[in-house]
């Protein structure tokens, strides 16, 4: 998964998490989250994996972009559906 800064901000918004809360949940520094979201640098693979796992563990589904030329609107986020009872 190639997490985008936009997906990161949107996922935090869905969860109502601050950058600090995401950093704590993922085990990365707040400056890593801040600089990535402001597009100052890319995430290394291990930091990206930790952030993705934190979001998924909190119930966020990250949607990858389908690629150029596809009718898919692109990368996105949504909350996972509740499990049926």
């Amino acid at each position: 998964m190639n997490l985008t800064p936009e997906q990161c901000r949107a996922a935090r918004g869905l969860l109502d998490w601050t950058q600090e809360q995401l950093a704590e949940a993922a085990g990365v520094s707040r400056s890593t989250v801040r600089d990535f979201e402001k597009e100052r640098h890319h995430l290394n693979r291990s930091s990206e994996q930790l952030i993705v796992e934190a979001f998924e563990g909190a119930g966020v589904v990250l949607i990858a972009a389908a690629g150029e030329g596809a009718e898919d609107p692109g990368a996105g986020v949504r909350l996972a559906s509740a499990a049926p009872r």
Side-chain angles (χ1 to χ4, degrees):
M1 162 113 238
N2 287 320
L3 182 69
T4 67
E6 296 83 7
Q7 281 178 299
C8 191
R9 289 189 299 269
R12 281 194 313 102
L14 282 175
L15 297 170
D16 197 26
W17 280 3
T18 64
Q19 289 177 343
E20 185 65 39
Q21 288 170 309
L22 171 57
E24 186 175 321
V28 300
S29 70
R30 182 182 171 276
S31 64
T32 295
V33 174
R34 180 193 64 224
D35 291 346
F36 173 64
E37 287 186 354
K38 290 186 178 265
E39 300 183 44
R40 292 183 182 149
H41 67 72
H42 297 286
L43 292 173
N44 64 45
R45 288 183 192 178
S46 61
S47 294
E48 179 182 36
Q49 186 63 37
L50 291 169
I51 290 172
V52 167
E53 288 173 2
F55 283 142
E56 289 174 345
V60 171
V61 176
L62 298 164
I63 304 162
E68 288 190 39
E71 292 182 24
D72 186 78
V77 298
R78 69 175 177 83
L79 289 175
S81 302
R85 295 181 185 226

